[in-house]
Amino acid sequence: MADEEREALHDALRMAAVALTEADIPFALCGSYAAWVRGAPEPEHDADFVIKEEHIDQARAAIGAAGLDVHEPPENWLFKAYHKGQLVDVLYRMSGEPVHDELFERADMLEVLAVRMPVLSATDVLSSKLRVLGEHYCDFGRLLPFTRALREQIDWERVRDEVSYSPYARAFLQLVEDLQIVEPARPS
């Protein structure tokens, strides 16, 4: 990613966070940038925020008024906002599930690119990334550096419980145990 593109993405992230804050909309930074704030490698693509579905219209208006170009994709779980060609996704469902207040309650208020904002916990970020794994998307290579960097911040028991239904997530968890990134699960 070129320096100008990275700066435009950083600006988009800051603009969206400030707009959501000023509109008094509960939100949190999620996805790869939330992981980056907590110590993972910096992503080379979009920034992601999560809001509750009841705040979609208000969030679109606030982000649009902040100068980002808002678009409605065909997916029914997010909207997109662009700044100088760089993308911010605003999710109102994660892994097909509605967003609940508990997600925001577990977030930490952190400084991100000189703007204080709520950031999802490392546990919630990893859990959400594992829940989207499937036969059409199963890139463990992208998850390994994130997991290695944040392993001490993750509640592994909770992650294992939340993704236990997914053979893809269980395979990833077995891999990080085999690579000795995390301790094996305790027998129940």
Side-chain angles (χ1 to χ4, degrees):
M1 174 178 271
D3 289 343
E4 313 82 50
E5 292 171 323
R6 184 175 314 285
E7 187 57 37
L9 181 54
H10 289 178
D11 287 345
L13 187 156
R14 287 188 286 257
M15 292 165 69
V18 169
L20 292 168
T21 299
E22 289 178 352
D24 203 26
I25 298 169
F27 76 96
L29 182 65
C30 63
S32 298
Y33 264 97
W36 173 69
V37 170
R38 295 181 173 284
E42 184 170 7
E44 297 268 326
H45 51 85
D46 66 346
D48 302 296
F49 290 97
V50 62
I51 63 171
K52 289 176 68 175
E53 196 161 0
E54 67 196 59
H55 296 120
I56 296 169
D57 293 336
Q58 186 183 4
R60 277 189 203 115
I63 289 172
L68 283 88
D69 187 18
V70 176
H71 290 264
E72 289 302 319
E75 300 90 351
N76 63 352
W77 50 273
L78 83 162
F79 68 87
K80 297 178 176 287
Y82 294 88
H83 173 70
K84 296 183 180 177
Q86 299 305 307
L87 174 61
V88 172
D89 283 331
V90 181
L91 294 68
Y92 44 91
R93 283 192 216 116
M94 292 183 67
S95 308
E97 299 294 321
V99 174
H100 297 287
D101 290 330
E102 294 82 25
L103 191 67
F104 300 121
E105 291 166 6
R106 291 189 301 263
D108 297 306
M109 187 63 78
L110 300 173
E111 187 169 300
V112 180
L113 301 168
V115 175
R116 289 193 51 79
M117 66 184 76
V119 178
L120 284 192
S121 72
T123 300
D124 284 321
V125 174
L126 179 61
S127 179
S128 68
K129 287 185 173 291
L130 292 178
R131 285 180 285 156
V132 299
L133 294 175
E135 64 184 61
H136 298 293
Y137 176 77
C138 192
D139 187 353
F140 289 178
R142 286 184 164 206
L143 289 172
L144 283 170
F146 157 81
T147 304
R148 184 173 280 116
L150 303 185
R151 66 182 173 255
E152 294 167 355
Q153 300 174 50
I154 295 169
D155 178 341
W156 289 100
E157 189 173 319
R158 194 175 111 216
V159 169
R160 287 180 180 107
D161 182 56
E162 289 176 355
V163 303
S164 63
Y165 67 91
S166 168
Y168 301 96
R170 289 193 316 268
F172 180 79
L173 292 173
Q174 184 63 55
L175 176 63
V176 296
E177 288 177 11
D178 290 349
L179 294 173
Q180 298 179 346
I181 293 171
V182 299
E183 294 291 320
R186 288 179 242 140
S188 8

